Amino acid sequence: MPPLTDRYPLPVLQDSSGTGASREDGDAERPRAWRSLEELHGSPELARAAGREFPPGAAEPPRGLDRRRFLQLAGTTAALAGLTACKEPAEKVMPYTHRPPDVIPGVPNAYATAWAHEGYAAGLVVTSWEGRPTKVDGNPDHPASLGATNHIAQALPVDLYDTTRVRGVKLRGTLVSFRTYLQEQVERARVLEATGGEGLWFLLEPSSSPTRREMVERIRQRFPRARVETYHALSRDNVYEGARLAFGRPLETRVRYDEARVVLSLDADFLTQGPFALREAREFSRTRLPERGEMSRLYVAEGHYSVTGMNADHRFRMKPSEVERFALAVLGELARTHRLAGLEPFQELALGWPEKAKEVRVVAGELARHAERAVVVVGERQPARVHAVAHVLNAALGSQKRLITHHEPGVDAVRGGPEVLRELAEAASAGRVDTLVVTAFNPVYTAPVGVALGAALSAVPHSVYLAFREDDTAKHSAWVLPAAHVLESWGDTRALDGTASIIQPLIQPLFMGVTELDVLSPFAGVADLTAHQLVKAHWARRRGGPGLAFDDAWDQWLAVGTIPGTEAPALAPAVDTGAVVASVRAFSPGPAQGLELNLLPGYKVRDGRYFHNAWLQELPEPLTQLSWGNAALVSPRTAERLKVSPRDKVKLTLRGRWLEAPVYVLPGHADDTVSLELGWGLEWLDDSIGDMGELGVNAYLLRFPDAPWFTGGLQVDKAEGHGRYATTQDHWSMHGREIAVQDELETFEKKKPHYLHHLKGPVASLYSPFEYEEPYQWAMAVDLSLCIGCTACMVACQAENNIPVVGRAQVENGREMYWLRVDRYFEGAPEGPHAIPQPMMCQHCEAAPCEYVCPVNATVHSDEGLNEMVYNRCIGTRYCSNNCPYKVRRFNYLDYNPRVSELEKLRFNPEVTVRMRGVMEKCTYCVQRIERARIEARRQREPINTEALQTACAEVCPTEAITFGSLHVPDSTVARLHREPRHYKVLHELGTKPRTAYLARIKNPNPELEHG
């Protein structure tokens, strides 16, 4: 990874002094920069462009902006426009006519950076082609990512090149310069300073940025009467309040799942949600392999079927409100029956649940037997009392010392829920807010019922909003500032364990975007400094001041992606048992309230901020396989009782508020519960995919401040008509076929070494075996015991291979273009089935049925075992797709590329052909990566390092479930997996001889629950 040392990869300008463009507008500095430009370019057009306030494309659609013009202007004119706006480029700038020494055409560069996801950092490595960031991967040196990313991080380039972004600074709808914003806010800050900041409010995004924390402290010191609050619709208030109840102060909890042997998850989707989810998924998966010794056991209590629930050995269906009762019942069982030290005060409390007595007894017994290697984790939606009970249980078990570390919260948002919006709306409506600065995501849209934030915001005389798009909050704000994308920004952030990283840009802001630090700078008294200068100065002060030594360290931090020695110290807090006892004593289960509404974070759109990301919209949700929308999820029994069927419209009424939503019947869902994802119901802004209007339903319309996640009293009535949603998999079952094989540990141990022998042996064939001549024999192995079904591999494949988005109508017609899909199957009764995910891609069969039927030899077999597609031969007969038993070939029914704007095309991978209409597409084992590795190996005169070579899906996988390599090396990882007793070939009986082997999914159920 070459370091990025104080530069942007895109071409930008440098003044003749070589010191970078001046921030001042004085005549002494400007002529020098202009002379340099004229000498370097001699272009009157460029000189005219330099006088514009905004770069080309900021005020008009970018569809006419071709790639050549983009490379000329994005780095030069954008930099010059920054001069007139009094915001210099943060880097030294060079015209691309003089190629930077580390940029070689056709050779990608990789840069380390970080992404602050809901406050905390994930380390990234971003691939850039001549200054165009195209692919996002995880940083293996970062503790929160370990080289993996999730589906949202993979889709970040889509937002970067989005044509619907805010363009330019606007004051009440009129374009102005950022310099004007700075000047006005500097003057307003002086006025407010005289009153100590009376009437000044800040509503900020939760952040772990050390530089922003320093700026906020400056603001508080300068304006002692100002209100500085944080807000996030998916706040973690319950986590911090639970720690405050148990320990007397808010703390973060970090669990080492690789050492745990029993995990009780109370509505916690820890495999995909949370600031350390990537690392925790990796650690947990390492305990799920029978070959590595004792397997862990996972119990999950939840209402909605989550990814973590899909990987549970035992999953207990219950209403979300009943999870607390289940936790207290386990607490009571451990206190009374197992007499754990520290739980004596709970022995006399009536903590039981007769209906779940067996489950409670078995789970409590498992926790007690494994003691310090057992852990209880709680989801962010559960009340603070449940979190406090988990802390008490972990302390009594001894796992708090062995498996858990506590840290001070890295984010400055231990209170950021709906209550903050209510206080702001009341103050603004009463005229007590003079100036409001908002960097939190669209609070008008995410505000709960009863909080009229839009009207209150309109009443604020001076309001500032940092927006990525023209959303609901922007419509009520005076100032609307274009938010810079993370790949355009300078900043810093921390991981859950405190490890700090520098956020560095890979491209100049395409639409003159600014960062949160830029927005806050006039109020902190540093309006003359850029975000880059603020971040670098902050860390220079912390590391002994500026100088050559610091500059060297800075370059190293940028190259590696982390700052050494910044980990937060582990704490050993004592549990305040008395406070928890008092809280538990106050608990009352209350009478049954009929149907319950269960609100969920959007798996793909989160709180709605990723709603306009087409890759995420089209991505199937792991359990429901829904695409382009959400739905009201109910169990089969509840659907039968309500007399509704899939796609029927229902009217959901709660406390006088209502909305209509289509029904989706989900096996394994809790009875008498209706689940809805948040973040939907917005209007799709990009008409290039089609006029789709609103997608999904806005669940915020039923979200109340006192019940932000779940509540009873829901009324469900069948409405007229049918709703609309797209799904990529309508069937639930494998119909008795051994496709995604799952077994119990006991069964697997008994049948070794002849396990699944009927799916491995030779099959008679009429065709002679293919004679291979090349040494490399590429193959893949997919371990279903490790696969959690998170679907990150699907987006990684899409990003790597330029797979088009087809839109909702085409998905409804079954025409999605994914080369890799993650199928989901259910086994067992619909009320409580096991769910099995299975990645399915081209199997690269040695006896490929597709090859025999192609009339033009478009699909052929290589000497290295690849089933290859020659696109310019394909005439679109689709015989190969008809003959493929795995159904992994995709036919390009329509030409999806002309509707992609020139700006959006910049995210394409130049190594992969962009296909046109009428050809068949499929997985290629990322052959472009194989060829790149071959070229490098020849240059080095060495064999290809087959262990280091990874496909996009293998590289992104958080649990390392997908392995790629060559079978010609007997001791390679993929060759070893192809010899494992658990391995088998899907549809082996057909004699296709796939090069992709699957390893059976092994569960570790408790015999007491399985057999009565």
Side-chain angles (χ1 to χ4, degrees):
M1 255 184 306
L4 181 59
T5 57
D6 294 357
R7 59 169 294 276
Y8 282 114
L10 263 192
V12 286
L13 293 170
Q14 183 178 17
D15 65 23
S16 58
S17 66
T19 59
S22 171
R23 181 173 187 84
E24 303 298 331
D25 283 339
D27 293 337
E29 290 293 338
R30 182 176 294 173
R32 185 187 308 169
W34 281 82
R35 283 197 305 269
S36 174
L37 292 173
E38 291 166 356
E39 291 168 2
L40 292 172
H41 296 274
S43 170
E45 181 184 357
L46 185 60
R48 287 195 299 270
R52 293 189 219 157
E53 183 180 345
F54 303 101
E60 62 271 350
R63 299 190 184 279
L65 183 64
D66 60 26
R67 182 176 180 274
R68 178 181 296 276
R69 193 65 179 149
F70 173 83
L71 287 174
Q72 291 173 343
L73 296 177
T76 54
T77 312
L80 286 172
L83 286 175
T84 61
C86 196
K87 273 283 181 180
E88 69 166 337
E91 312 309 315
K92 295 179 181 179
V93 275
M94 291 287 293
Y96 199 67
T97 51
H98 302 286
R99 179 173 57 82
D102 57 340
V103 175
I104 303 174
V107 178
N109 287 339
Y111 298 98
T113 185
W115 171 50
H117 180 53
E118 298 177 6
Y120 282 107
L124 303 179
V125 174
V126 183
T127 300
S128 176
W129 295 86
E130 294 92 50
R132 278 188 309 118
T134 60
K135 183 68 169 63
V136 174
D137 291 300
N139 185 349
D141 296 323
H142 196 279
S145 57
L146 301 178
T149 55
N150 63 9
H151 54 294
I152 296 177
Q154 284 292 312
L156 287 176
V158 178
D159 286 332
L160 172 65
Y161 300 114
D162 191 349
T163 58
T164 66
R165 291 173 58 181
V166 172
R167 305 180 183 203
V169 179
K170 295 181 181 180
L171 174 58
R172 294 182 175 86
T174 302
L175 285 170
V176 297
S177 68
F178 188 69
R179 175 189 176 86
T180 303
Y181 165 80
L182 288 177
Q183 290 175 336
E184 180 161 325
Q185 303 312 319
V186 167
E187 185 60 32
R188 177 144 303 281
R190 288 172 183 162
V191 174
L192 292 169
E193 195 172 13
T195 63
E198 183 70 31
L200 175 61
W201 274 68
F202 294 87
L203 190 66
L204 307 179
E205 188 79 7
S207 173
S208 59
S209 166
T211 302
R212 199 195 82 169
R213 177 170 292 189
E214 180 185 23
M215 292 189 69
V216 168
E217 288 304 315
R218 289 186 181 184
I219 291 173
R220 287 191 169 121
Q221 292 173 11
R222 187 182 183 188
F223 307 104
R225 303 182 68 180
R227 288 284 299 272
V228 182
E229 302 288 351
T230 56
Y231 168 73
H232 198 292
L234 311 180
S235 73
R236 305 180 73 235
D237 286 6
N238 290 336
V239 174
Y240 299 126
E241 286 303 311
R244 196 191 306 274
L245 178 59
F247 304 121
R249 54 177 169 163
L251 294 174
E252 294 283 7
T253 302
R254 154 93 170 90
V255 180
R256 294 188 294 276
Y257 288 97
D258 53 344
E259 296 187 25
R261 288 299 170 264
V262 174
V263 179
L264 171 59
S265 168
L266 301 172
D267 198 20
D269 190 8
F270 65 88
L271 293 179
T272 62
Q273 311 294 331
F276 239 38
L278 291 172
R279 184 185 185 98
E280 290 172 348
R282 175 76 57 85
E283 292 178 346
F284 174 77
S285 67
R286 290 171 177 170
T287 69
R288 304 297 293 175
L289 296 176
E291 296 86 3
R292 294 186 179 180
E294 182 185 4
M295 284 183 64
S296 65
R297 184 168 288 154
L298 173 61
Y299 298 93
V300 174
E302 63 181 10
H304 167 256
Y305 220 140
S306 68
V307 171
T308 301
M310 182 164 52
N311 290 273
D313 295 296
H314 294 282
R315 180 177 174 271
F316 309 126
R317 293 187 311 138
M318 59 187 68
K319 294 181 179 180
S321 62
E322 294 176 336
V323 172
E324 183 171 9
R325 188 176 182 184
F326 185 81
L328 295 178
V330 172
L331 171 65
E333 181 73 11
L334 287 169
R336 289 189 299 269
T337 303
H338 299 279
R339 304 280 179 172
L340 292 186
L343 301 185
E344 295 84 1
F346 299 95
Q347 293 177 6
E348 305 304 321
L349 300 181
L351 304 176
W353 193 359
E355 293 84 354
K356 298 287 185 181
K358 179 180 180 181
E359 291 88 343
V360 168
R361 173 179 56 81
V362 172
V363 170
E366 277 271 88
L367 293 173
R369 280 194 299 273
H370 288 83
E372 63 179 13
R373 301 196 72 179
V375 66
V376 181
V377 295
V378 182
E380 298 169 354
R381 304 185 317 131
Q382 287 297 313
R385 178 166 39 230
V386 185
H387 289 269
V389 166
H391 292 309
V392 169
L393 288 175
N394 291 329
L397 292 168
S399 56
Q400 182 173 324
K401 294 182 178 179
R402 176 162 183 173
L403 303 181
I404 294 174
T405 56
H406 295 285
H407 305 280
E408 293 287 349
V411 296
D412 47 9
V414 295
R415 176 183 177 270
E419 185 65 19
V420 172
L421 295 189
R422 185 189 62 79
E423 295 174 5
L424 172 59
E426 290 178 356
S429 300
R432 299 196 303 271
V433 180
D434 173 79
T435 301
L436 172 64
V437 180
V438 180
T439 64
F441 167 74
N442 202 359
V444 171
Y445 162 67
T446 62
V449 175
V451 179
L453 191 62
L457 188 57
S458 297
V460 176
H462 307 282
S463 55
V464 178
Y465 180 43
L466 181 65
F468 204 75
R469 294 180 182 85
E470 295 276 0
D471 55 28
D472 300 78
T473 304
K475 296 174 183 176
H476 296 276
S477 303
W479 287 92
V480 177
L481 307 180
H485 191 273
V486 64
L487 300 181
E488 301 171 330
S489 305
W490 279 105
D492 56 1
T493 183
R494 290 186 182 275
L496 180 69
D497 67 349
T499 300
S501 299
I502 303 297
I503 300 174
Q504 63 173 327
L506 279 88
I507 191 171
Q508 286 276 23
L510 300 178
F511 302 117
M512 294 302 295
V514 296
T515 69
E516 187 180 34
L517 298 178
D518 294 317
V519 176
L520 299 178
S521 62
F523 299 95
V526 288
D528 58 331
L529 299 178
T530 63
H532 170 253
Q533 291 168 329
L534 288 167
V535 173
K536 193 168 184 179
H538 170 85
W539 286 101
R541 286 191 295 272
R542 296 189 59 168
R543 293 300 174 103
L548 292 178
F550 172 75
D551 289 342
D552 290 342
W554 175 266
D555 293 346
Q556 184 66 20
W557 299 344
L558 294 180
V560 176
T562 58
I563 302 177
T566 54
E567 299 84 356
L571 305 175
V575 174
D576 185 353
T577 306
V580 181
V581 169
S583 178
V584 171
R585 186 176 282 116
F587 171 77
S588 175
Q593 299 185 57
L595 290 172
E596 190 164 294
L597 176 66
N598 181 34
L599 298 178
L600 305 164
Y603 183 80
K604 301 180 293 182
V605 301
R606 300 304 291 159
D607 54 354
R609 70 186 60 213
Y610 302 108
F611 177 88
H612 294 284
N613 191 302
W615 285 0
L616 295 177
Q617 279 281 1
E618 193 144 302
L619 178 70
E621 196 274 341
L623 269 299
T624 63
Q625 300 289 293
L626 285 175
S627 172
W628 295 99
N630 62 344
L633 310 181
V634 297
S635 69
R637 185 174 298 170
T638 301
E640 182 180 358
R641 187 171 64 80
L642 296 174
K643 298 180 180 180
V644 295
S645 302
R647 288 188 170 86
D648 282 349
K649 269 191 178 180
V650 291
K651 182 180 180 181
L652 308 178
T653 306
L654 182 66
R655 303 184 191 178
R657 300 288 184 130
W658 63 272
L659 58 80
E660 290 186 351
V663 169
Y664 185 96
V665 180
L666 179 63
H669 194 275
D671 294 332
D672 298 326
T673 302
V674 179
S675 294
L676 264 180
E677 277 194 347
L678 297 168
W680 297 90
L682 294 169
E683 185 176 357
W684 184 255
L685 299 178
D686 185 1
D687 60 356
S688 66
I689 303 179
D691 183 13
M692 291 187 287
E694 291 187 357
L695 295 174
V697 296
N698 183 5
Y700 287 110
L701 298 177
L702 297 181
R703 197 185 201 201
F704 289 82
D706 62 333
W709 295 113
F710 44 82
T711 185
L714 178 68
Q715 180 181 340
V716 180
D717 300 297
K718 188 174 181 179
E720 293 185 2
H722 291 80
R724 182 181 181 185
Y725 56 71
T727 178
T728 60
Q729 185 181 358
D730 290 318
H731 63 281
W732 294 344
S733 171
M734 290 177 278
H735 301 289
R737 297 173 297 171
E738 293 179 295
I739 298 175
V741 177
Q742 176 173 286
D743 248 323
E744 298 180 4
L745 178 61
E746 182 180 2
T747 302
F748 171 68
E749 294 291 349
K750 287 180 179 178
K751 293 183 177 180
K752 281 197 313 185
H754 303 293
Y755 185 68
L756 299 180
H757 66 280
H758 59 292
L759 299 180
K760 302 173 185 177
V763 177
S765 174
L766 297 175
Y767 299 95
S768 302
F770 190 87
E771 297 294 334
Y772 294 103
E773 299 176 359
E774 294 293 329
Y776 302 109
Q777 297 300 308
W778 306 113
M780 183 174 284
V782 182
D783 195 333
L784 297 182
S785 280
L786 296 179
C787 177
I788 60 175
C790 67
T791 67
C793 53
M794 294 182 65
V795 191
C797 178
Q798 186 170 21
E800 175 71 19
N801 294 293
N802 302 331
I803 297 174
V805 170
V806 302
R808 178 170 62 175
Q810 296 302 314
V811 174
E812 290 173 333
N813 290 330
R815 293 179 175 178
E816 65 272 10
M817 293 299 297
Y818 290 113
W819 293 4
L820 162 64
R821 67 178 191 263
V822 179
D823 294 331
R824 176 268 301 124
Y825 301 102
F826 290 111
E827 279 189 342
E831 292 76 20
H834 295 289
I836 311 170
Q838 183 183 43
M840 181 60 63
M841 65 291 286
C842 176
Q843 303 291 287
H844 289 271
C845 308
E846 295 190 38
C850 56
E851 297 174 6
Y852 307 136
V853 296
C854 181
V856 293
N857 212 32
T859 176
V860 295
H861 210 73
S862 79
D863 288 339
E864 295 181 348
L866 298 180
N867 177 250
E868 298 178 332
M869 273 298 304
V870 185
Y871 296 125
N872 60 356
R873 290 182 189 167
C874 181
I875 60 174
T877 63
R878 291 178 286 157
Y879 295 162
C880 57
S881 180
N882 293 336
N883 224 37
C884 175
Y886 306 98
K887 299 308 171 189
V888 290
R889 289 173 166 263
R890 301 297 187 187
F891 184 68
N892 213 330
Y893 283 91
L894 301 175
D895 195 355
Y896 302 106
N897 294 306
R899 69 188 188 188
V900 179
S901 71
E902 294 299 319
L903 179 64
E904 293 172 299
K905 288 178 182 178
L906 295 175
R907 70 171 182 255
F908 284 174
N909 182 356
E911 288 191 311
V912 179
T913 302
V914 178
R915 286 77 57 191
M916 61 187 298
R917 180 183 182 183
V919 301
M920 193 63 66
E921 304 181 15
K922 69 170 193 68
C923 161
T924 65
Y925 274 171
C926 289
V927 67
Q928 68 276 8
R929 294 191 173 198
I930 296 174
E931 294 307 315
R932 191 196 310 164
R934 193 191 316 277
I935 292 170
E936 180 62 21
R938 287 173 177 171
R939 192 176 69 85
Q940 299 288 344
R941 298 185 179 181
E942 294 178 353
I944 297 176
N945 185 345
T946 59
E947 290 290 293
L949 177 59
Q950 296 187 62
T951 58
C953 56
E955 187 174 46
V956 73
C957 183
T959 61
E960 299 179 312
I962 302 175
T963 303
F964 178 75
S966 176
L967 296 177
H968 86 286
V969 182
D971 58 348
S972 66
T973 304
V974 71
R976 177 180 57 79
L977 292 174
H978 274 240
R979 297 192 298 268
E980 285 285 344
R982 287 191 293 125
H983 99 273
Y984 69 98
K985 305 293 179 66
V986 174
L987 302 181
H988 167 77
E989 64 276 11
L990 299 181
T992 57
K993 301 179 181 178
R995 275 290 178 93
T996 299
Y998 289 83
L999 278 72
R1001 182 181 177 94
I1002 304 300
K1003 289 291 192 77
N1004 184 24
N1006 191 321
E1008 294 183 67
L1009 288 176
E1010 287 291 301
H1011 307 300

